[in-house]
Amino acid sequence: MRRVAVIDIGTVTCRLAVADVEGSHVVRLGKQSNICNLGQDVDRTGKLAQEAMERVFACAKAYVNSARESGAEAVCCTLTSAARDASNSPELGAALASLGLDPLVIPGQIEGALTFLGVAQDFDGRRILVADNGGGSTELAVGELSGGTLDLGWVTSVQVGCRRLTERFLSREDPPSAEDLAHAHEYAAQTFSQALKEAGGRLGDPKTLVVTGGTVTTLVAIDAGLDPYDPAYVHLHELSGEKVDELERRLASLTQGERAALKGIQAKRAPVILGGAVAVSELVRQTGFSSLTVSESDLLFGLSIVAAAMLDGRESPVVWKPTMRPLRPSGE
């Protein structure tokens, strides 16, 4: 049994998982999540804002201490869409390195493969389409996990995310105008459609659309009025395309302040939840599914499996090797 810690720094959230992994199976995984909004203005400026990097650094510092206290023997740290897009990401990387981390900005295809590995644990032997809908991008992956063997037919990353859509189309008015909302839909539809067209025959015939990420879990929580949030209720919950559209219309009729007051949403997610709903709506529509299944087993889950494999000297299920850093007691 290995106890590993993994930190993922995304466009909107900064997350920690501490997992007990036996072989290729996660026995127990505990998560922490904080909305740090690293992607603040990145789509417009091409750079990480200083205050955003400071928020992430403070959060990561707390996570390292928490991972150490939990007894994790090693930690790895990944950064995704916002860090991929920003020209000054090395500045944040240097700050994180001072905490004893070795932060890696991972390509979208690796992010998609790791997410697929985590999600597919619940769908053994079934060909699925997995979408990781984040703040700056959505990773799409089609394949099958069968008997511990991962077969990925197609993985890609597209520039559709809740923060990107919000900053490009939905920030001029509060709530956004019908025209701006239509432009956001048009952009998301065209981007998803082009990616799926380029996939061609590699898509095969996936039986289920599985979506992960803060937007879709929040949509379930809002619909059910969850207070507090209940991951057991959300995990593997099904949302119809009609329900996603209904929730989008509800969110579009509210101001940011009114969205923040809804049961089931973190107040800091209120500014970007409508953009996320647009992305999920078009994802369902363009993939041709009538519904989606929500998964809590995301990138952190897959990354934990790979991290434990590296510590055990086993081959990674994904063609990528994280850099692990030992966690020693504070003061050593």
Side-chain angles (χ1 to χ4, degrees), residues 5-325:
V6 295
I7 297 172
D8 172 58
I9 300 171
T11 301
V12 174
T13 57
C14 184
R15 303 180 301 152
L16 165 71
V18 177
D20 292 331
V21 185
E22 184 74 57
S24 61
H25 299 285
V26 175
V27 178
R28 177 183 175 276
L29 183 143
K31 293 182 183 178
Q32 295 182 40
S33 179
N34 283 283
I35 294 177
C36 295
N37 285 314
L38 180 62
Q40 172 189 331
D41 294 329
V42 168
D43 191 61
R44 178 177 61 85
T45 66
K47 291 185 176 182
L48 301 174
Q50 184 63 38
E51 59 266 34
M53 289 192 284
E54 290 172 0
R55 291 193 297 266
V56 166
F57 177 82
C59 184
K61 183 177 181 179
Y63 281 171
V64 170
N65 290 333
S66 179
R68 183 183 293 113
E69 292 169 1
S70 73
E73 58 184 290
V75 61
C76 68
C77 176
T78 58
L79 299 96
T80 55
S81 179
R84 289 196 292 266
D85 292 351
S87 61
N88 62 336
S89 293
E91 182 180 341
L92 175 60
L96 294 172
S98 73
L99 300 175
L101 298 172
D102 190 352
L104 299 172
V105 180
I106 58 174
Q109 286 192 325
I110 296 299
E111 183 180 357
L114 289 167
T115 300
F116 187 94
L117 176 64
V119 169
Q121 306 295 316
D122 292 308
F123 299 89
D124 191 70
R126 192 189 314 179
R127 189 172 183 84
I128 57 176
L129 168 57
V130 172
D132 181 7
N133 176 238
S137 64
T138 298
E139 282 63 52
L140 302 169
V142 172
E144 181 178 330
L145 180 67
S146 184
T149 301
L150 184 65
D151 179 15
L152 277 175
W154 174 67
V155 186
T156 194
S157 179
V158 297
Q159 300 289 74
V160 178
C162 62
R163 175 160 287 280
R164 193 180 300 273
L165 290 181
T166 299
E167 291 188 355
R168 285 193 183 186
F169 303 104
L170 305 177
S171 296
R172 293 194 303 174
E173 300 178 45
D174 184 24
S177 68
E179 181 181 10
D180 286 345
L181 196 60
H183 287 156
H185 269 280
E186 182 181 8
Y187 171 81
Q190 290 179 351
T191 307
F192 282 135
S193 177
Q194 182 61 35
L196 294 165
K197 181 179 179 181
E198 291 172 357
R202 289 175 291 173
L203 282 176
D205 185 24
K207 304 303 180 185
T208 307
L209 170 62
V210 189
V211 185
T212 188
T215 289
V216 73
T217 56
T218 300
L219 291 178
V220 173
I222 291 173
D223 186 49
L226 296 182
D227 186 18
Y229 183 79
D230 182 1
Y233 177 88
V234 173
H235 186 53
L236 301 183
H237 192 96
E238 188 170 297
L239 281 178
S240 68
E242 289 84 356
K243 174 59 70 174
V244 173
D245 290 342
E246 175 190 318
L247 288 165
E248 184 202 314
R249 288 193 294 271
R250 180 183 175 189
L251 292 166
S253 70
L254 304 175
T255 64
Q256 286 187 23
E258 290 168 336
R259 291 179 217 143
L262 293 172
K263 284 187 177 181
I265 191 172
Q266 293 172 281
K268 289 182 180 179
R269 190 173 289 278
V272 297
I273 187 61
L274 177 58
V278 169
V280 174
S281 172
E282 288 301 337
L283 174 67
V284 176
R285 187 171 293 110
Q286 298 306 317
T287 55
F289 285 89
S290 61
S291 65
L292 62 89
T293 299
V294 180
S295 178
E296 283 268 351
S297 300
D298 50 22
L299 171 68
L300 293 175
F301 205 103
L303 187 55
S304 298
I305 294 172
V306 172
M310 293 298 96
L311 289 177
D312 284 340
R314 294 181 286 110
E315 184 176 347
S316 169
V318 174
V319 186
W320 175 74
K321 295 181 179 181
T323 302
M324 304 298 298
R325 287 289 179 263

